[in-house]
């Protein structure tokens, strides 16, 4: 039996990063990590600064984004990620982000950005 899919949009302040069909989305919100499948109850969540979002596409391809705050909107038919900023994890250098975290003050924007990128890169490597 084929998995049910739903529409996903990922939009950052400066770019539309994704528009397509997915079977599963994982997002880090201020209330905890959240998994969304087709026909999920409607909700609005705040994304954590220094978090990540995983989109499992209809064909099974798993894509991860480093996300810097924003919101997650879920309806029965679609998921929209409105991020302050976001970057695909496949282009992230984990060693450089580890070094950036070590150089930054914990909790600072620089630290959160590096943490987000590092965690997203690690999820992509799985």
């Amino acid at each position: 039996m084929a998995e049910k899919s739903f529409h996903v949009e990922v939009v950052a302040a400066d770019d539309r990063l994704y528009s397509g069909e997915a079977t599963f989305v994982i997002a880090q919100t201020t209330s905890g990590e959240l998994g969304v499948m087709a026909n999920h109850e409607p909700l609005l969540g705040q994304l954590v600064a220094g978090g990540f979002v995983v989109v499992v596409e209809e064909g099974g391809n798993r894509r991860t984004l480093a996300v810097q705050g924003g919101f997650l909107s879920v309806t029965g038919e679609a998921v929209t990620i409105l991020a302050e900023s976001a970057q695909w994890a496949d282009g992230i250098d984990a060693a450089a982000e580890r070094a950036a975290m070590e150089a930054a003050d914990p909790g600072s924007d620089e630290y959160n950005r590096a943490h987000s990128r590092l965690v997203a890169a690690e999820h992509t490597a799985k």
Side-chain angles (χ1 to χ4, degrees), residues 4-125:
K4 291 185 179 181
S5 63
F6 52 94
H7 191 72
V8 176
E9 294 279 337
V10 179
V11 180
D14 58 351
D15 197 9
R16 181 176 174 183
L17 296 164
Y18 184 82
S19 179
E21 298 300 307
T23 58
F24 193 56
V25 170
I26 301 169
Q28 288 184 310
T29 71
T30 55
S31 297
E33 198 168 291
L34 173 71
V36 178
M37 297 176 77
N39 302 315
H40 193 286
E41 288 293 316
L43 68 85
L44 181 63
Q46 183 177 2
L47 299 171
V48 297
F52 67 90
V53 170
V54 176
V55 177
V56 180
E57 295 177 308
E58 199 170 27
N61 187 32
R62 181 182 170 116
R63 302 188 68 193
T64 306
L65 293 128
V67 177
Q68 301 304 308
F71 295 93
L72 165 80
S73 171
V74 179
T75 67
E77 300 81 36
V79 172
T80 303
I81 307 287
L82 301 170
E84 291 174 20
S85 68
Q87 176 183 359
W88 288 111
D90 54 5
I92 294 173
D93 178 352
E97 298 306 332
R98 221 175 257 107
M101 274 181 62
E102 291 172 6
D105 293 326
S108 68
D109 287 343
E110 293 82 12
Y111 182 91
N112 288 339
R113 215 174 357 266
H115 179 264
S116 172
R117 290 176 180 159
L118 179 60
V119 172
E122 289 172 348
H123 271 278
T124 298

